[in-house]
């Protein structure tokens, strides 16, 4: 018998693996979504995303479907930089044998065409084929592609890995006189230093020693394994994966039933959901266990026999797809009956005073989560269970499982959603820990994203009102954000490893909203909302460049969405114009945010409320006057102190400049570094003066008169935007270039 400690360790390892698998899948989906976007249009760092994918792949390997998805991303036209591509390819550790489909896609991407990957990427992919050669599901696939590979030998960048691959797959039928002649021609043009060509030619000679092909040299050359350590790691990962399959912890082949082994450490818990087993199969029908691949699944989709115990579909991804595509009413009713009985028992047990965390309950909730994630439908019986369970829930037990299920709540009446779920979640989950806030915000972000996707798939009708529940949900979340900004952290919360600034999660949520609103001009079911002013201004006043950049990027996307929606022909109708969807007051309120941010950073008019639409960051006039008075007093005090110490003239500060490119606490150091780099590029050496103070228009004019660098104020600000772009913080540049008329003309 296994000890409780061993069972606990196995349970933790299982949870970690499942979490990494989910993380890997989510990251690859995210990468696929942003790979086709130019770098300046992304709000996501693909370098960090690739690093997370590489880390998970190195730890647990990559399943077949995710591997195909990654190969699609790498072989199709994209905007990924070479470093990111290299990181991904060098960490393509397949959990199982590599399918012929993957190999074919890689071979088909070879060549000099513009739509093909870069030569460096093609070389890396060929080297990867060498590494996984002994792990191919169908080794003969490369032999069938022999002619394609051989004809690529004229590409010098691919020649070495191609020669190695060809030497492995060459058989007697492949050795033809015209191919021998082709290799000899390549040797003649490239010189005798092409050891790989010589090695391939020696392979050819081994099959036809009686053919005179000339002197191929005396030097012996043998193809060596490119990376034995990489292959050893791959073997280790695949062995671990096989153990998980045999112990019931893996479902890697989506279209093949995998059974749990009798030695599974989790067999007691997993036994609550039996293996897929079908005893009676009608003539011309097929059981799920008999299927081996996607072709068989598609061919027999309409003639599949249901398993003996329908609950077994919860843990089988092939059965998930069957339920999503076919979903027989009989199967749905049987599954609902089982879930209803099981969950009612758990609710009753949870009400008992001595109830404890149930591993069985957690296991079933995880299975339900996987089922719902595949079918994209939340069974009504699970919705009713959650409605009852949340009334006595403590906000801690099974939190991740419950939130992962709740994010699939179907779109409906917002009032019902609030009464049955949202109010209870907000009150039970939130406390003074960082994890409670990030968990709740992540849940809302996922729910909004899924509702948005659902709306985009529906036909637009002016009178339908389908957008109202989503707008109400977004309003609820934005009000919640303001509360989260004000709730203080406990001392213990900052000491734990899960501490994440709430502003990061809030910006993530607004980024998701910005992406959703980018579709508003083409689909009237998506209605724009204006962020709440306190949230925007709280995020604006920060000492973090990344936060300012992300906020600016979000506002620029919102701005573009408003502009395209107001002029969209798709939204025009006889009853209502596109502009009628958004009241002038609403547009004016949003324009005020843009104007205030431009006044702070670009126009040196911080907290100004006199411009059209400007709100002055909602700072009252009396408060602004107090700021001015305080700054003036500080200038006078500084002036007298420096005069007494004979330290030269004092710097005079003003409220309008305090948040500018040169003075902002988050931007000032970058301004100094940028200007220093410009002076260095201009070759200012020796006795020529350099700027020793924050950059202003007057400072630049004085510096030029003294013999320093000649640079206008406009040129300096443009250089600053380019500097931020190079740092990856391109949000400020995007907002300014889309807002300031002078910059739009330059663009």
């Amino acid at each position: 018998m296994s000890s409780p400690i061993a069972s606990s360790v196995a349970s933790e390892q299982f949870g970690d693996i499942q979490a990494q698998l989910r993380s890997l899948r989510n990251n690859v989906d995210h990468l696929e979504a942003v790979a086709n976007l130019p770098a300046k249009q992304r709000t996501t760092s693909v370098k960090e995303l690739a690093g997370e994918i590489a880390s998970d792949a190195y730890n647990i390997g990559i399943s077949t479907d995710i591997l195909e998805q990654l190969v699609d991303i790498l072989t199709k036209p994209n905007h990924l930089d070479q470093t990111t591509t290299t990181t991904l390819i060098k960490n393509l550790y397949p959990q199982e044998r590599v399918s012929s489909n993957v190999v074919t896609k890689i071979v088909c991407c070879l060549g000099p065409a513009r739509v093909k990957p870069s030569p460096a990427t093609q070389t890396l992919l060929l080297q990867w084929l060498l590494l996984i050669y002994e792990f191919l599901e169908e080794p003969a696939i490369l032999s069938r592609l022999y002619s394609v590979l051989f004809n690529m030998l004229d590409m010098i960048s691919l020649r070495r890995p191609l020669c190695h691959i060809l030497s492995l797959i060459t058989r007697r039928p492949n050795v033809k006189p015209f191919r021998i002649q082709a290799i000899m021609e390549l040797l003649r043009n490239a010189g005798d230093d092409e050891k790989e060509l010589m090695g391939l030619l020696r392979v050819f000679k081994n099959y036809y020693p009686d053919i005179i092909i000339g002197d191929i040299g005396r030097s012996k050359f043998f193809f060596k394994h490119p990376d034995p350590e990489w292959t050893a790691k791959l073997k280790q990962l695949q062995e671990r994966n096989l153990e998980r399959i045999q112990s019931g912890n893996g479902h890697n082949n989506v279209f093949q039933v995998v059974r749990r082994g009798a030695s599974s450490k989790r067999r007691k818990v997993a036994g609550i959901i039996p293996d897929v087993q079908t005893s009676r199969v009608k003539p011309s029908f097929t059981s799920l266990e008999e299927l081996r691949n996607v072709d068989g699944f598609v061919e027999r989709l309409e003639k599949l026999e249901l398993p003996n115990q329908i609950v077994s579909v919860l843990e089988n991804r092939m059965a998930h797809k069957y339920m999503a595509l076919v979903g027989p009413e009989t199967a749905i009713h049987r599954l609902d009956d089982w879930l209803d009985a099981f969950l009612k028992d758990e609710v009753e047990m949870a009400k008992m005073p001595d109830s404890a965390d149930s591993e069985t309950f957690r296991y079933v909730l995880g299975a339900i989560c996987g089922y719902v994630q595949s079918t994209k439908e939340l069974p009504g019986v699970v919705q009713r269970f959650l409605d009852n369970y949340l009334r006595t829930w403590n906000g801690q037990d099974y939190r991740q499982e419950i939130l992962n299920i709740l994010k699939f709540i179907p779109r409906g009446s917002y009032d019902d959603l609030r009464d049955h779920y949202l109010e209870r979640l907000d009150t039970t989950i939130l406390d003074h820990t960082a994890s409670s806030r990030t968990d709740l915000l992540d849940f809302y972000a996922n729910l909004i994203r899924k509702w948005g996707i659902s709306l985009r798939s529906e036909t637009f009708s002016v009178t339908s009102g389908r957008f109202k529940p989503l707008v109400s949900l977004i309003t609820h979340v934005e009000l919640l954000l303001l509360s989260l900004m004000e709730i203080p952290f406990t001392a213990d919360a900052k000491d734990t490893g899960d501490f994440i600034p709430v502003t990061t999660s809030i910006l993530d949520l607004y980024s998701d909203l910005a992406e959703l609103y980018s579709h508003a001009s083409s689909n009237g079911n998506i209605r724009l909302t204006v962020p709440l002013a306190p949230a925007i201004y709280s995020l604006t006043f920060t000492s973090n460049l990344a936060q300012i950049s992300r906020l600016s990027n979000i506002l620029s996307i919102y701005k573009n969405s408003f502009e395209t929606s107001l002029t969209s022909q798709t939204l025009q109708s006889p009853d209502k114009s596109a502009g009628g969807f958004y009241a002038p007051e609403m547009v004016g309120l949003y324009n005020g945010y843009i104007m205030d941010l431009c006044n702070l950073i670009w126009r040196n008019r911080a907290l100004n409320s006199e411009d059209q639409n400007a709100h002055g960051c909602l700072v009252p006039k009396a408060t602004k006057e107090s700021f001015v008075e305080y700054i003036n007093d500080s200038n006078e005090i500084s002036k007298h102190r420096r005069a007494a110490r004979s330290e030269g003239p004092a710097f005079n500060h003003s409220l309008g400049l305090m948040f500018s490119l040169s003075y902002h606490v988050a931007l000032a150091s970058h301004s100094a570094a940028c200007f220093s780099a410009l002076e260095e590029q201009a070759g200012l050496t020796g006795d020529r003066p350099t700027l020793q103070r924050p950059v202003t228009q007057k400072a630049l004019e004085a510096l030029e008169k003294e013999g320093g660098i000649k640079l206008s104020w406009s040129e300096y600000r443009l250089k600053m935007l380019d500097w931020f772009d190079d740092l990856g913080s391109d949000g400020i540049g995007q907002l300014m270039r889309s807002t300031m008329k002078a910059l739009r003309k330059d663009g």
Side-chain angles (χ1 to χ4, degrees), residues 6 78 115 143 378 430 517 537 567 611:
N78 60 64
V115 295
S143 297
L378 184 61
L430 280 180
Y517 289 157
Y537 293 127
T567 59
D611 296 322

Side-chain angles (χ1 to χ4, degrees), residues 122-389:
Q122 294 184 34
T123 302
L124 287 169
L125 289 171
L126 285 175
Q127 291 172 349
W128 182 77
L129 285 181
L130 280 170
L131 292 170
I132 55 93
Y133 176 72
E134 59 182 290
F135 301 94
L136 292 178
E137 184 178 67
E138 187 182 6
I141 181 62
L142 284 174
S143 297
R144 292 201 292 269
L145 297 169
Y146 192 97
S147 297
V148 180
L149 293 170
F150 190 90
N151 291 337
M152 293 292 172
L153 282 175
D154 58 347
M155 287 189 65
I156 298 176
S157 59
L158 307 182
R159 188 169 295 166
R160 291 188 175 182
L162 276 175
C163 286
H164 195 165
I165 292 175
L166 290 171
S167 71
L168 293 173
I169 64 176
T170 296
R171 300 295 181 266
R172 185 175 295 274
N174 303 124
V175 181
K176 305 289 185 182
F178 72 89
R179 287 180 179 152
I180 296 175
Q181 184 64 33
I183 296 177
M184 296 295 291
E185 189 67 24
L186 290 173
L187 276 171
R188 188 177 300 113
N189 294 332
D192 292 338
D193 57 339
E194 287 284 355
K195 297 180 180 180
E196 287 76 12
L197 281 173
M198 300 290 288
L200 179 58
L201 189 57
R202 186 174 290 108
V203 173
F204 274 45
K205 185 173 176 61
N206 289 339
Y207 284 105
Y208 279 93
D210 54 332
I211 295 179
I212 301 175
I213 56 177
D215 184 11
I216 60 173
R218 296 181 179 178
S219 62
K220 297 293 183 181
F221 173 77
F222 300 96
F223 291 102
K224 297 180 180 179
H225 193 290
D227 194 344
E229 293 183 4
W230 193 97
T231 304
K233 174 66 178 178
L234 178 58
K235 288 180 180 179
Q236 183 184 36
L237 288 174
Q238 293 201 352
E239 287 173 359
R240 290 178 184 173
N241 181 61
L242 182 59
E243 291 175 0
R244 289 200 300 271
I245 294 177
Q246 293 174 345
S247 62
N249 294 345
H251 301 281
N252 301 282
N253 189 342
V254 181
F255 298 98
Q256 183 175 356
V257 172
V258 178
R259 299 194 179 282
R260 289 185 287 265
S263 61
S264 170
K265 295 181 180 180
R266 292 178 55 86
R267 60 186 178 274
K268 292 184 178 179
V269 176
I272 194 69
I273 300 177
D275 287 327
V276 172
Q277 185 173 5
T278 311
S279 300
R280 298 179 181 178
V281 182
K282 300 174 186 176
S284 76
F285 274 65
T286 304
S287 65
L288 292 172
E289 304 97 291
E290 295 178 79
L291 299 179
R292 290 295 179 267
N293 52 50
V294 64
D295 293 332
F297 179 77
V298 173
E299 290 173 2
R300 299 171 177 82
L301 184 60
E302 299 295 336
K303 291 189 176 183
L304 286 175
E305 193 72 44
L306 294 174
N308 298 343
Q309 300 188 58
I310 196 64
V311 66
S312 61
V313 304
L314 287 179
E315 277 211 310
N316 187 273
R317 289 176 61 188
M318 179 176 61
H320 294 173
K321 296 183 182 299
Y322 173 72
M323 296 293 287
L325 295 172
V326 180
E329 290 187 9
T330 303
I332 294 174
H333 291 323
R334 287 172 57 190
L335 183 60
D336 285 350
D337 288 342
W338 189 94
L339 288 173
D340 186 47
F342 177 84
L343 295 174
K344 279 183 178 178
D345 290 343
E346 291 298 329
V347 169
E348 292 301 320
M349 292 179 62
K351 293 179 181 179
M352 298 175 64
D354 58 343
S355 63
D357 189 348
S358 169
E359 186 64 25
T360 301
F361 188 35
R362 184 184 302 278
Y363 186 83
V364 174
L365 286 177
I368 294 173
C369 178
Y371 174 79
V372 173
Q373 187 171 4
S374 294
T375 61
K376 302 297 186 291
E377 291 186 6
L378 184 61
V381 65
V382 178
Q383 296 181 47
R384 293 189 294 273
F385 156 72
L386 291 173
D387 184 16
N388 292 327
Y389 184 75

Side-chain angles (χ1 to χ4, degrees), residues 408-676:
F408 289 95
I409 295 175
R411 196 177 74 254
S413 169
Y414 167 75
D415 292 335
D416 292 341
L417 178 70
R418 180 195 60 206
D419 295 339
H420 291 287
Y421 305 107
L422 301 188
E423 286 185 351
R424 300 172 191 173
L425 287 177
D426 294 348
T427 55
T428 55
I429 290 181
L430 280 180
D431 52 31
H432 291 283
T433 62
S435 61
S436 67
R437 308 182 193 194
T438 56
D439 288 346
L440 193 60
L441 287 176
D442 288 345
F443 160 72
Y444 278 120
N446 285 317
L447 184 60
I448 290 172
R449 188 183 305 116
K450 294 184 185 305
W451 280 21
I453 293 173
S454 174
L455 282 172
R456 287 171 53 194
S457 65
E458 297 178 5
T459 304
F460 167 55
S461 174
V462 176
T463 58
S464 66
R466 295 190 183 98
F467 64 91
K468 292 181 180 179
L470 179 59
V471 171
S472 299
L473 176 63
I474 293 172
T475 302
H476 170 84
V477 176
E478 291 200 284
L479 291 172
L480 177 66
L481 295 182
L482 297 181
S483 300
L484 295 182
M485 288 180 171
E486 297 173 0
I487 299 176
F489 287 103
T490 60
D492 295 337
K494 293 187 178 181
D495 295 334
T496 59
D498 67 346
F499 178 74
I500 300 175
V502 68
T503 52
T504 300
S505 297
I506 291 174
L507 287 170
D508 289 341
L509 180 65
Y510 275 125
S511 295
D512 289 338
L513 283 176
E515 196 282 329
L516 174 64
Y517 289 157
S518 65
H519 303 281
S521 61
S522 59
N523 192 326
N525 291 328
I526 307 297
R527 296 295 175 86
L528 294 166
T529 61
V530 177
L532 297 179
I536 293 298
Y537 293 127
S538 296
L539 294 170
T540 297
F541 293 104
T542 176
S543 59
N544 189 309
L545 170 61
Q547 182 172 319
I548 296 176
S549 176
R550 292 191 66 186
L551 178 63
S552 299
N553 179 67
I554 291 167
L555 292 178
S556 68
I557 297 175
Y558 268 74
K559 180 178 182 296
N560 181 67
S561 300
F562 268 112
E563 291 175 346
T564 54
S565 294
L566 293 174
T567 59
S568 172
Q569 294 299 317
T570 304
L571 304 184
Q572 298 289 348
S573 71
D575 302 323
K576 192 172 232 183
S577 66
F581 288 139
Y582 308 109
E585 296 80 7
M586 178 182 180
V587 179
L589 175 63
Y590 181 76
N591 285 337
Y593 300 161
I594 301 291
M595 179 59 70
D596 286 346
L597 199 58
C598 290
N599 281 341
L600 287 173
I601 297 176
W602 193 258
R603 304 181 69 202
N604 299 346
R605 304 184 67 179
L607 309 185
N608 175 60
S609 58
E610 298 175 0
D611 296 322
Q612 183 180 3
N613 295 321
H615 307 310
C617 299
L618 298 185
V619 175
K621 183 178 180 180
T623 304
K624 179 181 176 181
E625 291 174 351
S626 298
F627 286 158
V628 173
E629 182 179 355
Y630 172 80
I631 292 172
N632 290 338
D633 291 344
S634 298
N635 287 337
E636 287 297 321
I637 294 173
S638 176
K639 180 180 179 180
H640 290 306
R641 286 179 177 175
R642 296 180 69 89
R645 298 174 184 175
S646 301
E647 295 180 356
F651 296 149
N652 286 324
H653 301 286
S654 67
L655 180 61
L657 292 172
M658 293 298 291
F659 302 96
S660 65
L661 290 172
S662 303
Y663 282 84
H664 196 295
V665 64
L667 311 179
S669 60
H670 294 284
S671 170
C674 175
F675 199 84
S676 177

